[in-house]
Amino acid sequence: MDSNVEACENPETKSPEILPSQSPFATASLSLPTTLPTHFFIQPKIQPFFSSQSPNKVKVPTQASSLSHLSLSSISSPSPPKVSFKSIISNNPLQSPLSLGPRRPLGPSNGAAIRRASIVWFRNDLRVHDNECLNTANNESISVLPVYCFDPRDYGKSSSGFDKTGPCKATFLIESVSGLRKSLQARGSDLVVRVGNPESVLVELAKAIGADAIYAHREVSNDEVKAEERVETAMKEEGVEVKYFWGSTLFHVDDLPFKLEDMPTDYGGFRDKVKGLEIRKTIEALDQMKGTPSRGDVEAGDIPSLTDLGINQMAQDGRPSVSASMVGGETKALQRLKTFAAECRAQPHKASKDGSQDSIYGANFSCKISPWLAMGCLSPRSMFDELKKTMNRPVSATSKKNDGVSGSPDTGTNWLMFELLWRDFFRFITKKYSSAKVGATPATTCTSALA
């Protein structure tokens, strides 16, 4: 008997008095006389509950409700003498013989199966709206650590002597990362920013917070695919799961009516294959996010400047190399999209007399949305949904660019849908060959693109 717990003994009863427990993993400790016959311990339904190291004490998991009605009279003859014992209930689950593993319980339907801590590795998806990766991590985890890495391998000079990342793109990226941090902070989270190789940075952070998994969007270029492989290898050594998602195209890669390796190498063939394919619905932005992990005391870190990245801020003629007319970030992207949609709606479409030429209104006759799409500040599906609101008739992503009636705003919008489909084609074809084994046949020229 434990001295620090008040026990109640009643010699006239044959069953133990077990106090109610608030813990699902409480234990009951029973003190039995040493004169108990040995045949008592060999009963098949009683033996497993007794500790072999302490014959005078037994530990009984209180999850078995039948133990509250345990009676020694149920044991076969010869009947043992009457015994009395005291029960003590522990509220500390660490003292229970049933303990949770170092990571998640096995039962996926169990509420405790939620991950303790997860990392969201932001890449070219610098947004909170229509972000399946972020939403899933938030729903499956108790705490979430959003991370962005400025990989030094993406900067400096290439083997040909050109800048891998110029000052315009770098400035736009820095603004986009800053905008993402503000969006996350407004939702109760934050963005951890580091300058370093992702496979090293993510491992360090995963160890610090005890992360169960890394959530990230897949990319398509050769360098990006190699980065994913390095991260997967590093995380496998640490026993951390890596979960990838797809969110950079209008059509989801899993919805394509063909395997990626069987994708047509010309645009016309691709367009015919995806004709009538349904576009997935956009995912609403989270109003509130799970907090960042308290373990590890991870600092958010500063967003680097162009100088920190080794990029010259001035052009060769001495003038600033960055234009202030385009500012990176999700907020600016959504503003630009709404402005462009309003322009398409308010102004008539301009076309030649035979209707063969097509153009749209906007700055220099362009929507000027490509930079935000490239950084993932805006998703193609969100763009599609917004443009559908301006249409006078149902629109399909596979519409030809001159499907609208000449002079109607629908023609300009169809033009943009046409461009989004081209963008899908190039991303899928890039993914096809960046993921292919060495020796794969290169893509052919898209001779039927305008057919």
Side-chain angles (χ1 to χ4, degrees), residues 103-104 113-121 133 136-138 140-147 202-203 205-207 209-216 231 235-236 238-245 293:
R103 296 203 181 276
R104 294 171 293 138
I114 293 180
R115 301 180 188 277
R116 294 178 307 182
S118 299
I119 292 176
V120 175
W121 175 26
C133 173
T136 304
N138 188 77
E140 295 181 355
S141 309
I142 296 176
S143 58
V144 179
L145 187 70
V147 177
L202 294 176
V203 166
L205 293 174
K207 288 181 178 179
I209 68 172
D212 295 306
I214 307 292
Y215 292 72
V231 169
M235 289 303 167
K236 185 176 181 180
E238 300 298 328
V240 178
E241 181 183 3
V242 181
K243 297 188 67 173
Y244 284 108
F245 299 82

Side-chain angles (χ1 to χ4, degrees), residues 323-402:
S323 173
S325 61
M326 302 184 71
V327 179
E330 181 178 10
T331 301
K332 293 294 183 180
L334 295 174
Q335 290 175 354
R336 177 58 197 150
L337 176 59
K338 291 183 179 297
T339 299
F340 172 74
E343 290 173 354
C344 286
R345 184 69 179 169
Q347 301 183 34
H349 168 69
K350 285 187 175 181
S352 61
K353 293 181 180 180
D354 60 2
S356 60
Q357 295 180 3
D358 202 10
S359 63
I360 55 175
Y361 280 99
N364 300 323
F365 298 98
S366 171
C367 65
K368 289 291 189 285
I369 293 179
S370 295
W372 288 286
L373 280 173
M375 295 292 176
C377 302
L378 184 70
S379 77
R381 292 186 303 199
S382 297
M383 191 171 180
F384 179 76
D385 285 349
E386 184 65 30
L387 292 176
K388 280 196 303 184
K389 300 175 183 177
T390 70
M391 300 295 288
N392 293 326
R393 58 190 179 87
V395 61
S396 169
T398 54
S399 300
K400 294 183 180 180
K401 64 178 181 177
N402 57 353

